[in-house]
Amino acid sequence: MTPEQAFTESSESITGNIVKIISTQGIKAVYDGLNDDDKAVFKQAYSASYMPAKEILQEIYDEVSSGNEIRTVIMHGDRTDKFPVGKIDGTYCWQVGEKVRASRDEESIPMNPFTAGVYVATMMAQCDVLLEAGHPYSEVINESVIEAVDSLCPYMHYRGVAFMVDNCSFTAKTGSRKWAPRFDYIFEQLAYTAIDNGNAVNEQLIADFENHTIHGAVVECCKLRPSVDISCDVQSSTKEIVIE
C-alpha cells in the first residue's frame, strides 16, 4: 500500500465518508451499510479499540471534572512566551495528506471497515463515559458526535489536522497536543496488538453497540440538522490561524 493510499484508507475515510454518514444517518448506519466481510473487520477493530479508548477518555473526564485540566491549560498559557504553541502537521503523514487533498476525488473516498471500527469505538466509548457520569443525551450527542462530524472533521478534511485544531480555542489546542500521543500509544500497545495476536471478538461489546440507546437519539438529532454542511472554503471575515 502506498503512503497516499494509507492516508486515504484512514484519515480520508473518516473525514470524507464515515462522518458524513454519521452526520446524516447516525452512528449505527456506518455499521449497517457494510457487507458481511467488512462487518467482521469492523467488529474486530471495534472490539479491540473500545476499552483502550475508554481508558483514556475516562482519564480525560476525571482530569476535567477535578479541575486539573483547566489548571494545566492556565499553566500552559503562562508558558507560551517562552514555549510558543508549535506546528503539528509537519510530519510525513500530514505532508502526504496535502498531496492527497490536492488530487482528491470526493466520490471515490473509501469506507474502510477497520478505520470505521476504531473511530466508532472511540465515539461510543466517549458516549458511555458521559452517560455513566449522568449527562443528558442532548449533551452527550453534541459533545461526542455533532461537534466531531459537523464541525471539526470538515475543517480537517478541508486543510488538515492543524487547520482544524489551531482554529479552535486555546484549551482545544493545548488539550489535543497533550492527549493525542496518549491515544496513539494506547492504540498501538493495546488495540492493534490484540488484533495482531488474533484475539477473539468480544461479542458482548458488539451486542452492546448494536443495541445501544444512543443510536435512536442520534437519529433524531440527524433529523434536526441543517440541510447544508458547514462551509470551509468561502471568504470569511474571521481570521484563520495558521501556525508556521
Side-chain angles (χ1 to χ4, degrees), residues 219-238:
V219 169
E220 289 303 310
C221 289
C222 290
K223 296 175 183 178
L224 302 174
R225 79 181 297 279
S227 58
V228 295
D229 298 329
I230 189 172
S231 178
C232 298
D233 59 356
V234 297
Q235 290 293 327
S236 171
S237 60
T238 302

Side-chain angles (χ1 to χ4, degrees), residues 191-210:
Y192 303 150
T193 54
I195 293 169
D196 291 341
N197 293 333
N199 290 13
V201 170
N202 185 329
E203 296 295 346
Q204 185 58 56
L205 267 181
I206 301 303
D208 291 343
F209 164 69
E210 291 176 331

Side-chain angles (χ1 to χ4, degrees), residues 77-92:
D78 292 338
R79 296 192 299 268
T80 52
D81 287 344
K82 187 181 292 185
F83 304 104
V85 176
K87 182 180 175 66
I88 61 169
D89 63 351
T91 57
Y92 182 63

Side-chain angles (χ1 to χ4, degrees), residues 36-206:
D36 289 344
D37 289 342
D38 285 347
K39 280 184 178 178
V41 174
F42 177 100
K43 289 178 181 180
Q44 187 182 38
Y46 185 100
S47 178
S49 302
Y50 175 87
M51 284 305 295
K54 192 175 183 183
E55 179 180 337
I56 300 299
L57 289 161
Q58 185 64 63
E59 183 179 350
I60 294 172
Y61 186 89
D62 292 344
E63 288 285 298
V64 172
S65 63
S66 69
N68 286 350
E69 186 72 7
I70 191 61
R71 279 190 285 271
T72 65
V73 172
I74 293 170
M75 288 187 289
H76 192 149
D78 292 338
R79 296 192 299 268
T80 52
D81 287 344
K82 187 181 292 185
F83 304 104
V85 176
K87 182 180 175 66
I88 61 169
D89 63 351
T91 57
Y92 182 63
C93 170
W94 302 113
Q95 291 173 5
V96 170
E98 287 188 34
K99 297 178 183 176
V100 171
R101 288 194 298 276
S103 60
R104 176 190 287 151
D105 177 5
E106 291 283 354
E107 299 304 317
S108 65
I109 296 175
M111 165 61 72
N112 185 288
F114 185 92
T115 301
V118 176
Y119 186 78
V120 170
T122 305
M123 182 172 282
M124 293 298 295
Q126 179 165 318
C127 289
D128 284 340
V129 166
L130 295 177
L131 287 170
E132 289 164 12
H135 293 265
Y137 279 89
S138 58
E139 183 181 19
V140 172
I141 294 169
N142 183 63
E143 296 293 332
S144 308
V145 183
I146 295 173
E147 287 192 7
V149 303
D150 290 326
S151 180
L152 297 175
C153 280
Y155 273 84
M156 183 170 167
H157 192 63
Y158 174 49
R159 278 180 57 183
V161 66
F163 188 72
M164 173 187 73
V165 170
D166 292 332
N167 282 285
C168 291
S169 66
F170 184 77
T171 303
K173 291 181 194 179
T174 56
S176 60
R177 286 165 168 82
K178 176 181 177 180
W179 292 105
R182 295 290 307 281
F183 279 103
D184 185 25
Y185 184 85
I186 205 164
F187 280 135
E188 289 283 352
Q189 297 298 321
L190 297 184
Y192 303 150
T193 54
I195 293 169
D196 291 341
N197 293 333
N199 290 13
V201 170
N202 185 329
E203 296 295 346
Q204 185 58 56
L205 267 181
I206 301 303

